[in-house]
Amino acid sequence: MKYLSTRDPAVSVTAAQAIVRGISAEGGLFLPESIPSVTPDELRELCALSYVERAERILAPYLSDFSAEELADCVRGAYGAQFAAKEIAPLAQLDENTHMLELFHGPTCAFKDMALQLLPRLLTVSAKKTGAGELVILVATSGDTGKAALEGFRDVPGTRVLVFYPSEGVSPMQRLQMVTQEGGNVGVCAVRGNFDDAQTGVKEIFTDGAVLAKLAERSLAFSSANSINWGRLAPQIAYYFSAYCDLVNIGSIRLGDKINFVVPTGNFGNILAAYYAREMGLPIGKLICASNQNRVLTDFLQSGTYNARRSFFTTISPSMDILISSNLERLLFLLSGKDTRRLADWMRSLRDNGEYTVPPLLRTKLQELFWAGSCGEEDTRAAITRTWRDNAYLCDPHTAVGVDVLRQYRAATGDTATAVVAATASPFKFVTPVLEALGYVPPAGDDEFSLAERLAAETAQPCPSGLLALRGKPVLFPSVCSKGDMRGALWSLPGGYVGARHDVPLPPRYFS
Ligand SMILES: *Cc1c(COP(=O)(O)O)cnc(C)c1O
């Protein structure tokens, strides 16, 4: 399988090259030249398999330059004992025709682990194949990617990882997860600004000639762990197939029945993976795109105009606080007949004017595939309250946005087909809003861990051990920089400073 770029028709690379580079030199995103298909018979076979085996089958045609053995090693290593659920991505039933696909049982308690436990392994194999030197993984995070990347890449030989997060844009638990990160090849820095500032800064560093030259002098090269990297997206396709098979196995649907997926969306990575599953032949009716108060995607899918010039809201579902949704570029490329010129024009218009409009025909295609809805703060809280009261199911705020948008979809369309909501994070990562939605007013001054214990006691649900283990850990990364200083942070950040030799452990005092 060869990979194309969304912005340059001359680009053609292998999967390994696409994964190592992360983003194409001219700024386009890589994507496979064709979409492999899964026949109904193959789907039936998948139903008899474990999660690991399903993932191997789904990924194999995308990673045709990997040997079966290499792929098996990567996948088995990724989905092992570090997941708290042996099914890896189990379903939980909410009501008669609604199921939750729990993607948060990995080490950092968000769905990002589903990809970021696998990506470092794919990247290590890819780096060997392409002869890449040491890789610097630059990450912009809206909260969950950062920790999942740090955990996935910590002490992986031949890599260093540097994470930028918005100083005011993450939950206290998300921040604690990152600033206490251990490992000899990691760095973390807060950026004064929002996620879009961090993401734009990282994209600029990626293509800055002077920075690239300085890296090359030291035999270092950039790669990305954001969902702009195809190696982040591909692993996510597998769980849509897996959820479908599980529904067949428990008798909720028959093989061939169409189901709807609801995806709490920010950067459009997770829902794009669902689109790929649909194009591969998974019987999916609608892909329901759920946004929070930052409803740029809802407006786009409804109107055909993408307009990022609007107020940015900091919400209780911070991992979806995004106005520039990177992976939409891949979808538009596919739906516009792989027209690199038009894509480049739209992306230039987005950068220069903050907006672009797609032609009516393309808007119609989008609306056949997707239904979009958004959910404000009060409705998010109400959805947490309701699912707990009526279904005894505890949602985190991101998942609650999905649950509420599904309610809106059913009310608007009357389509009551079986639906699966992607449950993207553990409620214990967002204890304050979840406790408040349950009617508990946290006393001022209670720390995150007391609150987590309180939530566990109120709901008789266990707090994930990975979160409890953060209690008392020293803050190793207190640094905050401005947008303009991100390049500087690259060279000077404790632990993450890329000039350091990977195999020399830094003395603990270095961090203080
Ligand atoms: C990242 C994230 C999302 C948004 O996913 P995208 O792939 O960026 O659309 C939703 N919920 C949670 C908890 C996340 O961490």
Side-chain angles (χ1 to χ4, degrees):
M1 176 78 75
K2 287 288 199 218
Y3 285 73
L4 314 173
S5 162
T6 51
R7 296 191 205 175
D8 179 356
V11 170
S12 172
V13 300
T14 63
Q17 286 170 324
I19 292 170
V20 165
R21 292 184 201 169
I23 189 167
S24 188
E26 80 294 346
L29 305 185
F30 292 117
L31 76 188
E33 63 182 348
S34 64
I35 300 183
S37 62
V38 172
T39 65
D41 280 343
E42 288 167 339
L43 184 57
R44 185 190 315 277
E45 283 171 28
L46 282 182
C47 290
L49 303 180
S50 68
Y51 189 85
V52 163
E53 294 163 327
R54 289 170 185 168
E56 277 177 48
R57 295 248 182 134
I58 296 302
L59 285 166
Y62 289 108
L63 301 171
S64 54
D65 46 335
F66 283 52
S67 71
E69 202 177 20
E70 284 170 338
L71 180 58
D73 279 352
C74 290
V75 174
R76 283 170 206 175
Y79 303 121
Q82 68 272 46
F83 279 77
K86 66 176 187 322
E87 307 91 331
I88 306 299
L91 286 178
Q93 186 153 11
L94 196 69
D95 58 36
E96 201 187 335
N97 55 354
T98 313
H99 299 260
M100 310 302 291
L101 171 56
E102 295 190 341
L103 301 172
F104 54 77
H105 295 290
T108 77
C109 308
F111 91 90
K112 304 297 197 288
D113 288 325
M114 298 299 299
L116 282 164
Q117 283 299 303
L118 183 52
L119 179 65
R121 294 173 164 86
L122 298 179
L123 199 53
T124 303
V125 175
S126 299
K128 229 175 261 154
K129 285 186 189 298
T130 59
E134 191 164 346
L135 294 173
V136 179
I137 317 293
L138 266 198
V139 182
T141 184
S142 58
D144 290 321
T145 295
K147 176 60 181 181
L150 290 163
E151 204 50 47
F153 281 100
R154 82 188 269 186
D155 297 325
V156 172
T159 68
R160 17 187 93 248
V161 51
L162 179 52
V163 171
F164 291 102
Y165 71 92
S167 57
E168 303 303 326
V170 301
S171 84
M173 193 67 96
Q174 286 177 317
R175 181 178 169 278
L176 276 171
Q177 282 186 305
M178 291 187 276
V179 298
T180 60
Q181 178 67 42
E182 291 157 6
N185 63 337
V186 301
V188 179
C189 185
V191 181
R192 275 182 223 103
N194 61 35
F195 169 72
D196 291 314
D197 296 322
Q199 174 163 260
T200 304
V202 161
K203 280 187 186 165
E204 280 170 12
I205 296 176
F206 255 117
T207 46
D208 180 324
V211 174
L212 294 177
K214 208 162 154 186
L215 282 182
E217 268 169 34
R218 301 165 196 211
S219 306
L220 296 165
F222 280 135
S223 187
S224 168
N226 281 104
S227 55
I228 55 172
N229 192 325
W230 176 256
R232 251 294 290 281
L233 268 172
Q236 300 179 172
I237 302 170
Y239 49 71
Y240 291 103
F241 278 92
S242 185
Y244 189 93
C245 291
D246 287 347
L247 286 177
V248 171
N249 289 346
I250 60 174
S252 282
I253 58 169
R254 281 168 315 182
L255 203 70
D257 287 351
K258 282 193 175 170
I259 64 171
N260 297 322
F261 277 105
V262 186
V263 186
T265 296
N267 226 357
F268 212 76
N270 204 4
I271 197 166
L272 186 70
Y275 169 77
Y276 268 88
R278 190 180 188 278
E279 293 303 296
M280 289 174 78
L282 190 65
I284 297 177
K286 280 281 185 202
L287 297 166
I288 299 167
C289 177
S291 299
N292 67 18
Q293 192 182 2
N294 294 293
R295 45 173 286 147
V296 63
L297 285 167
T298 315
D299 292 338
F300 171 65
L301 290 168
Q302 288 174 358
S303 71
T305 295
Y306 194 101
N307 185 352
R309 285 173 314 180
R310 58 175 73 209
S311 308
F312 178 96
F313 299 103
T314 300
T315 72
I316 56 172
S317 46
S319 303
M320 293 156 65
D321 291 346
I322 292 176
L323 293 182
I324 298 172
S325 213
S326 299
N327 277 293
L328 196 56
E329 179 168 345
R330 286 189 166 107
L331 179 71
L332 296 179
F333 178 77
L334 291 171
L335 296 184
S336 66
K338 305 190 175 174
D339 188 338
T340 47
R341 274 247 304 278
R342 272 211 290 185
L343 251 292
D345 283 347
W346 290 332
M347 294 306 128
R348 200 172 313 117
S349 171
L350 180 62
R351 192 194 58 207
D352 298 342
N353 316 320
E355 67 166 21
Y356 60 89
T357 300
V358 299
L361 205 65
L362 180 48
R363 187 185 68 212
T364 308
K365 272 195 218 170
L366 285 165
Q367 290 171 346
E368 280 162 15
L369 293 161
F370 295 89
W371 194 88
S374 74
C375 175
E377 294 290 88
E378 281 324 300
D379 287 338
T380 306
R381 292 174 197 276
I384 299 173
T385 312
R386 216 170 40 238
T387 38
W388 176 246
R389 189 192 59 210
D390 299 347
N391 311 98
Y393 190 84
L394 190 63
C395 283
D396 97 282
H398 304 76
T399 308
V401 167
V403 168
D404 191 66
V405 170
L406 174 60
R407 182 190 60 75
Q408 296 174 32
Y409 170 76
R410 285 180 170 157
T413 64
D415 177 4
T416 55
T418 298
V420 174
V421 181
T424 50
S426 162
F428 287 90
K429 280 186 105 161
F430 308 94
V431 277
T432 300
V434 172
L435 274 172
E436 284 170 358
L438 300 187
Y440 180 83
V441 185
D446 253 16
D447 72 4
E448 281 299 288
F449 302 99
S450 315
L451 295 174
E453 280 167 356
R454 165 62 60 178
L455 182 60
E458 293 276 323
T459 59
Q461 314 243 336
C463 179
S465 55
L467 299 181
L468 285 179
L470 299 173
R471 192 173 223 164
K473 281 205 174 159
V475 171
L476 303 176
F477 298 103
S479 318
V480 185
C481 71
S482 69
K483 261 194 293 186
D485 286 344
M486 287 171 64
R487 275 180 190 68
L490 186 65
W491 307 110
S492 60
L493 205 74
Y497 83 119
V498 295
R501 273 181 57 198
H502 175 263
D503 53 350
V504 181
L506 297 163
R509 294 229 9 242
Y510 186 82
F511 293 108
S512 55

